[in-house]
Amino acid sequence: MENSNFIEMPQGIQTWFLDTCVWSEIISSKQNLENFISYFQKNNYFAGLTLYTIFELSRAKYILKDLDYLFIQMKHNIWIPLFNDDLFDYELRNYPIKPKMRWMTIMGLVENDGIPINLLQKIITFSGFIDSRNDHLQFGKSRFMSLEEFKKNFPPSENSNYSTDQAYAFSRFNAISYFLSNERNVLEKIGVRDFLPEGIPSQFARSLFLFYKYYVHGQSPVESDFLDFTHISYTPYFNVYVTEKNVSNVLNHIKSEGIYFKDLKVIKLTQFMELITK
């Protein structure tokens, strides 16, 4: 997936990541759509849009026209980050230093004359796109849908409750478990003793989110959660993250503990919609 269309973001640009539910709300009315376009263009903000989000949105056929209109109007302000798998490989190549994210502007998917031709269809038919998404969902199902079984590998503290003090240890355990199953050669090269989970930022962010949501907060996973994990992968590379209430509560809890996301501003969907209408 990574190719010459993916470049580093220009300096001094504030980057926002909008969860799938946010994009859905933006295109739910003509007024929301125009407010969003005006707000981002006026402030020269860049909105991150993953290909997974586009895939989910494009399933609702009645909104395709609104999406194409949005992409046309915002082609300078909407950028697509690396595929989740490519991001992970990119971080491994740069371990333990966090690399600069590489992006592709939505213009990279537009014809030379600037007029999108079946833009959504072009996006969702990228080679390997659907397979990659399905692999991601299957990985989530196989590892976390039976969460109680998974928890046996990482038991709670002595009082039978999970503590936020265990978060870093869990993130390290989770990463090492993954490497042992899927990337043993990488772990052998790094060395288990010296491995720093924060050296793979996307995985570290996901592990912390997983631990706080399902272990500390005690929630149970549902299938739709696993696209949330794809989105959480990108949080180390954005300035602002806009999402629904539950996800924002988990991220802000992690921020309050001072473990991670210190420089990430988390905004709830309702707050964001109020912001763009001012």
Side-chain angles (χ1 to χ4, degrees):
M1 183 65 189
E2 185 179 354
N3 56 45
S4 59
N5 285 330
F6 284 86
I7 61 174
E8 289 184 7
M9 186 71 73
Q11 293 293 321
I13 295 293
Q14 189 175 90
T15 54
W16 295 53
F17 186 90
L18 311 181
D19 217 337
T20 303
C21 63
V22 184
W23 291 101
S24 297
E25 186 64 23
I26 288 168
I27 60 175
S28 66
S29 75
K30 184 69 172 178
Q31 189 60 57
N32 286 348
L33 196 58
E34 296 299 337
N35 287 341
F36 170 70
I37 292 170
S38 174
Y39 184 78
F40 268 70
Q41 289 181 341
K42 180 176 67 176
N43 293 287
N44 196 30
Y45 293 152
F46 281 11
L49 176 68
T50 70
L51 295 173
Y52 293 113
T53 293
I54 295 175
F55 185 90
E56 293 302 305
L57 292 173
S58 66
R59 289 180 166 186
K61 302 299 183 183
Y62 65 93
I63 64 175
L64 297 187
K65 183 178 178 181
D66 289 332
L67 286 173
D68 272 333
Y69 173 77
L70 174 61
F71 295 152
I72 293 169
Q73 298 299 314
M74 296 283 289
K75 60 186 179 183
H76 294 288
N77 297 82
I78 296 179
W79 290 62
I80 298 172
L82 290 172
F83 245 160
N84 187 56
D85 295 340
D86 289 326
L87 172 60
F88 180 72
D89 292 341
Y90 189 39
E91 291 174 333
L92 283 179
R93 293 198 301 271
N94 287 275
Y95 175 89
I97 300 171
K98 184 174 78 172
K100 293 183 179 179
M101 170 60 79
R102 297 183 66 83
W103 314 76
M104 176 172 60
T105 174
I106 200 81
M107 291 183 66
L109 303 173
V110 173
E111 299 296 342
N112 292 333
D113 58 4
I115 302 174
I117 301 175
N118 298 322
L119 182 57
L120 281 172
Q121 190 64 26
K122 290 184 65 175
I123 294 172
I124 66 173
T125 53
F126 271 125
S127 176
F129 171 49
I130 296 177
D131 287 343
S132 178
R133 175 189 179 277
N134 290 339
D135 286 347
H136 171 78
L137 290 176
Q138 187 57 46
F139 177 77
K141 290 179 184 178
S142 65
R143 294 206 67 190
F144 304 126
M145 290 305 285
S146 301
L147 190 62
E148 293 307 316
E149 187 66 27
F150 186 71
K151 283 182 178 179
K152 294 178 182 178
N153 297 320
F154 192 84
S157 53
E158 293 180 1
N159 62 1
S160 298
N161 294 317
Y162 287 96
S163 164
T164 56
D165 293 337
Q166 297 174 286
Y168 187 85
F170 174 83
S171 68
R172 195 170 188 278
F173 161 80
N174 195 39
I176 289 174
S177 297
Y178 171 82
F179 283 126
L180 286 174
S181 300
N182 302 279
E183 303 276 356
R184 184 179 291 268
N185 61 318
V186 173
L187 192 60
E188 291 174 351
K189 181 178 179 181
I190 296 174
V192 175
R193 179 179 297 180
D194 299 324
F195 176 68
L196 300 172
E198 61 269 40
I200 312 293
S202 64
Q203 188 176 57
F204 186 53
R206 288 197 309 273
S207 294
L208 290 177
F209 183 80
L210 168 71
F211 183 75
Y212 271 76
K213 183 169 183 175
Y214 301 123
Y215 290 68
V216 176
H217 291 197
Q219 298 182 41
S220 298
V222 296
E223 184 175 332
S224 60
D225 286 349
F226 301 112
L227 283 180
D228 288 341
F229 284 106
T230 296
H231 295 158
I232 295 298
S233 300
Y234 298 103
T235 50
Y237 301 96
F238 281 89
N239 303 118
V240 183
Y241 187 91
V242 186
T243 185
E244 47 89 14
K245 182 178 179 180
N246 184 276
V247 174
S248 66
N249 287 342
V250 175
L251 290 175
N252 280 321
H253 188 182
I254 299 171
K255 279 172 58 75
S256 71
E257 298 287 339
I259 298 174
Y260 208 47
F261 306 125
K262 180 181 68 173
D263 299 322
L264 177 69
K265 183 175 183 179
V266 183
I267 300 179
K268 296 177 183 178
L269 170 59
T270 52
Q271 296 171 321
F272 177 73
M273 298 312 295
E274 292 175 0
L275 186 64
I276 65 173
T277 57
K278 290 181 178 179

